Structure formats: structure tokens, C-alpha cells
Amino acid sequence: MKSQLNNPASPGKSDRFSSAGFILAAIGSSVGLGNMWKFPYITGEHGGAAFFLLFIICLIVIGLPVLLAELAIGRAGRGSAATSFVKAGGPKVFGHLGLLQVIAPFLILTFYVIVAGWTLHYAVMSFSGNLYNNTDFGGQFTTFTQGYMPIVWQFAAIIITGLVVAKGISGGIEKFNKVLIPGLIILLIVLMIRAVTLPGAGAGVSFFLNPDFSKLSPEAALVALGHAFFSLSLGMGILLTYGAYVDKRQSLGPATLAIGAGDLIYAFIAGLIIFPTTASFGIEPDAGPSLVFIALPAAFSAMPLGAFFGGLFFILLAIAALTSSVSLLEVPTSYVMDRWHWGRTKSVVVISALVMLIGLPSALSFGIVPGLTDIGGKNFFDWLDFITSNILLPVGGLITTIFAGYFWKKAADAAGLKAGWFRVWLFMLRYIAPVLVFLVLLHTTGLIKFD
């Protein structure tokens, strides 16, 4: 193991995923926090089952082709997210453009581990029962985020993440996901059963699943496309990096379908947890942390065995957050190993320290440091989230779709993608996906709006 950890070779040459481990790791990167607190909300806002159907279409027509492209590029290039484009046969300029897909996940990780720390804290508080001693859950959340304890939990989250990534692909990331993803599935099922059997839960299920086609609009289409794109971890270098660790015998087509199915099922069950619970207790299914850390604890406090089910819910969120943070950390780790030939352990330690350091302003932007709480109407945390999610990720996706549409013959040949349905997906990647992703970029940045 020691030689593996300090191997300066390029990613994918000495340490690789097994077939099942690769699929689980890719699913782990996609089942993040956004699907739990954002997907149910945007689904209800844009037509329930009608929007869910639109989401499925976007997933199949755009999301899966781009996902397949990223995996093929990564496997053909056998490098980091920044170098795979060129190694897979692209112009040198893509080496510089690909660097954005290293910077984006690094910056995301600086604030993502903060929220991961919140979930760990709330899991402990819920299981202990201390979370429910004071029913002012909004005040509890404010007091917590305005103190210094989030930094302690942020440190715990990055330590867990770093320990996993430092152990390598097969010995760290794969084993981590092989344990946590089955656990995630069990927790999802248990919490879904609890949610749909609550009094009044039927109204929430109906709100989620009854189609309202009158709410579909161009904006709904872009929201569905954006969520399909980002929920699969596209445009942020993760699947490019993971592709470098995939064995040549791994069939990428079925793997792509399995990853898409895992993401879709997780989003669907998340809806069957959130909507029945909020309907049963008269809670508005608002998006964002307020739903998870304020509204839902109020619901758990009112249900039988609420501390137990609340603890399970926050453990579920912690698993989703940590499997994603592991994927995010692997991207810059892979780049550093590839670029400067550092050993894995050294790379993880240095990057984790930088993540913690650069993440401090985000952790302190909820009230401790006044200068960070209001910067042009947003705090530092929200600005970093906006820049990465609304600008860097769509740009990264645009780079991938342009490359896949016009420069990826070597990658396609290496993946064995030459005929059949792939021709249809290639048409989408070349002529349609770049336009749609560009529209998503304009929409997320507010440059185009709908009345």
C-alpha cells in the first residue's frame, strides 16, 4: 500500500476501479445534497410529475451522452481532468480550458465540506435528542452557523474525505462507496416508508406525482436540463477523472445507463421523503438549507421516534455529502499527481489544507465576520456557490460538449463507440447539447429571464 500511495505515475496506470466499484463511485458523486433539498422543490414548482418527465427526457437526451463522453475522454486520456482532453486527441487549448474543471471542484469543495459538517453535527444532535430540547429550530440553526463550531465540523468532514482519498482508488474511494452506497439505499427506503405512512402524506405524494402540464415553460425546460446536467456531476471534472481509472474491459455504455438510473432513483425517492413529510406537518417545501436544517427538524420533533428518524435523515445527508466530497477532492488530487508527480498522500494533505484554509471565509460568513456577511447582497459562502454552480460548471459543461462533438474520435475509438445509438448521441453532442448548455449558462447567470 505504501508504494501505491506514493506512486507518482499518472492517474489510472496502477490503481483502478473494479466494474462495480466504478459505478458505485460515480453514483456516489451524483447523490449529493442538491437532490435532497433542491430537486423536490423545483419539481413541485414546475408541474410535479410533468416536470419529472421533462427531467427524465433531459437526462436521457443530453445528460447521458455528456456523461458517456466524459468517461470516454477520461479513459482515452488516462490523465487528470486538465490533461485528458489533449491526451485524448484535442488541441492544446483544451489543456488550459480543462484546468477550469480542476478549479471548479476545488472551490466547490471549500464550501461543500462546511455543509457536510453541518449534517454530521445535526446527526449527532438528533440521535442524542439535544436537537429537540429547543423548538426554535431557526434560532438554533442561526446560533450554530454564527459560532465557531461549524469550523470544527468542517475540519472533521475534510479529514474523513482526505483519509478516504489518500488510500487510493481501489483501497479508498471504491471501498468507501461500496460500504456507504448500500447503506444510503437502505436509509432512503426506510425514510421513504416512514414519510409516505405519515398522516396526510397522501397530499404530498399527489403534489409531487400529479402532472400539471400548464406549469411547463421554457424556464422549466432549462431548469430541468440544468439539474439533469449538474446532478450527474457533469462539467466538474469528476467523471473525466474517474474515467482515467476505468479498466479498458469496462463497457461504458451500460455503466452510463446504470449511473443515470441511480441518479434518477435517488431524486425520485428524495421527493417521496420530502413532500409527504412537509405535507403531513404543514411545511412549505422551500429550497435550500432552511428546509433541511429548520423545517424538517420541526417535523421530526412532532413524529413518534422523531429523534431516531431525524438522526437517520441527517446520516443520509452526511453520506450523500461525503461521497460527493470524496469525488470532488479526487479531481485536484489527480491533477497535482499528474502535473507535479507528487505522491498521493502528499497531494491529499496539501490540497485538504488549502480547502480548509480557503473555506474559512465561507464558514465565517454567517455572522462572525461582518465584512463577509454582505458583499453586494450575498455573503461570501453564497457568492462562491453562485460563481461555481452558475458560471464555472456550465462553462465546464460547454467545454466538454464542444470537445465531444468535434474532437473526440480517439476517445470514442478507445471506448468502442462507433455505431448504433451512439450516432444519435453524437449528433446531440455536436449540434444540440452545446446550444442548450449555453442557454443554461445564460439562465443561471440571469442574463436571460422568463416572465
Side-chain angles (χ1 to χ4, degrees):
M1 178 62 72
K2 183 177 179 180
S3 62
Q4 181 186 47
L5 292 180
N6 293 284
N7 177 26
S10 294
K13 292 186 177 180
S14 62
D15 191 11
R16 296 180 183 174
F17 286 116
S18 68
S19 295
F22 157 64
I23 293 173
L24 288 175
I27 291 175
S29 73
S30 67
V31 292
L33 296 171
N35 268 349
M36 187 58 71
W37 68 41
K38 183 179 180 182
F39 178 74
Y41 172 73
I42 60 177
T43 300
E45 187 180 51
H46 294 287
F51 179 83
F52 191 67
L53 178 62
L54 186 61
F55 171 72
I56 294 174
I57 293 172
C58 291
L59 194 80
I60 295 172
V61 173
I62 301 296
L64 295 186
V66 177
L67 192 158
L68 177 63
E70 291 203 359
L71 293 178
I73 294 166
R75 187 162 73 175
R78 292 293 185 198
S80 68
T83 60
S84 284
F85 288 109
V86 176
K87 291 181 178 180
K92 290 184 178 180
V93 66
F94 276 93
H96 302 293
L97 295 175
L99 190 58
L100 290 176
Q101 297 200 27
V102 176
I103 295 172
F106 173 80
L107 291 177
I108 291 171
L109 189 60
T110 64
F111 63 84
Y112 201 84
V113 290
I114 296 171
V115 184
W118 294 352
T119 65
L120 292 171
H121 167 74
Y122 268 71
V124 172
M125 290 287 286
S126 185
F127 277 125
S128 68
N130 293 330
L131 181 61
Y132 310 104
N133 291 336
N134 179 1
T135 57
D136 181 11
F137 297 104
Q140 280 196 65
F141 183 65
T142 299
T143 300
F144 170 66
T145 56
Q146 289 183 351
Y148 291 99
M149 282 305 296
I151 298 175
V152 175
W153 288 102
Q154 172 193 4
F155 182 71
I158 193 61
I159 287 294
I160 294 171
T161 302
L163 287 174
V164 172
V165 176
K167 291 183 178 180
I169 300 302
S170 58
I173 297 175
E174 178 170 324
K175 285 186 177 180
F176 186 69
N177 282 282
K178 279 185 173 180
V179 172
L180 291 193
I181 295 301
L184 180 83
I185 294 170
I186 294 171
L187 288 175
L188 282 169
I189 294 173
V190 170
L191 289 168
M192 180 186 69
I193 293 172
R194 170 71 279 195
V196 299
T197 56
L198 289 169
V205 175
S206 297
F207 181 69
F208 179 41
L209 297 182
N210 285 344
D212 184 355
F213 292 99
S214 66
K215 290 187 177 181
L216 294 184
S217 63
E219 180 176 15
L222 290 180
V223 171
L225 177 60
H227 193 72
F229 202 87
F230 303 135
S231 69
L232 289 172
S233 300
L234 303 176
M236 60 182 76
I238 291 174
L239 294 171
L240 282 168
T241 301
Y242 277 3
Y245 301 113
V246 177
D247 192 274
K248 290 184 177 181
R249 294 169 293 181
Q250 172 80 51
S251 179
L252 294 184
T256 297
L257 295 176
I259 295 166
D263 179 63
L264 185 63
I265 291 170
Y266 176 74
F268 179 74
I269 296 179
L272 290 179
I273 293 172
I274 298 297
F275 279 117
T277 303
T278 54
S280 179
F281 293 95
I283 298 169
E284 289 295 326
D286 194 9
S290 62
L291 169 68
V292 171
F293 296 105
I294 298 175
L296 288 181
F300 293 130
S301 70
M303 72 171 64
L305 299 176
F308 173 73
F309 285 108
L312 291 183
F313 175 76
F314 286 111
I315 286 292
L316 169 68
L317 288 184
I319 291 174
L322 290 172
T323 54
S324 294
S325 66
V326 163
S327 300
L328 290 167
L329 179 57
E330 178 58 29
V331 178
T333 297
S334 170
Y335 172 75
V336 167
M337 292 170 62
D338 197 34
R339 175 66 177 81
W340 288 293
H341 303 296
W342 287 4
R344 176 171 285 273
T345 303
K346 178 181 178 181
S347 301
V348 169
V349 169
V350 172
I351 294 169
S352 297
L354 289 174
V355 166
M356 186 69 192
L357 181 64
I358 296 174
L360 286 178
S362 292
L364 298 173
S365 65
F366 292 90
I368 301 179
V369 181
L372 298 172
T373 59
D374 187 358
I375 307 172
K378 299 179 187 291
N379 65 19
F380 189 89
F381 181 105
D382 291 335
W383 270 117
L384 201 56
D385 183 17
F386 177 83
I387 292 169
T388 54
S389 301
N390 293 10
I391 299 175
L392 292 183
L393 294 190
V395 169
L398 191 60
I399 291 168
T400 298
T401 55
I402 291 173
F403 181 91
Y406 295 95
F407 299 107
W408 81 321
K409 184 178 184 302
K410 178 180 177 181
D413 291 343
L417 305 173
K418 296 180 180 179
W421 50 266
F422 173 66
R423 294 186 184 277
V424 178
W425 276 8
L426 182 60
F427 176 83
M428 298 297 299
L429 287 168
R430 178 167 291 179
Y431 300 108
I432 298 177
V435 175
L436 293 179
V437 174
F438 183 65
L439 289 175
V440 169
L441 173 62
L442 295 178
H443 180 250
T444 56
T445 54
L447 295 177
I448 58 171
K449 297 181 180 180
F450 300 90
D451 295 328

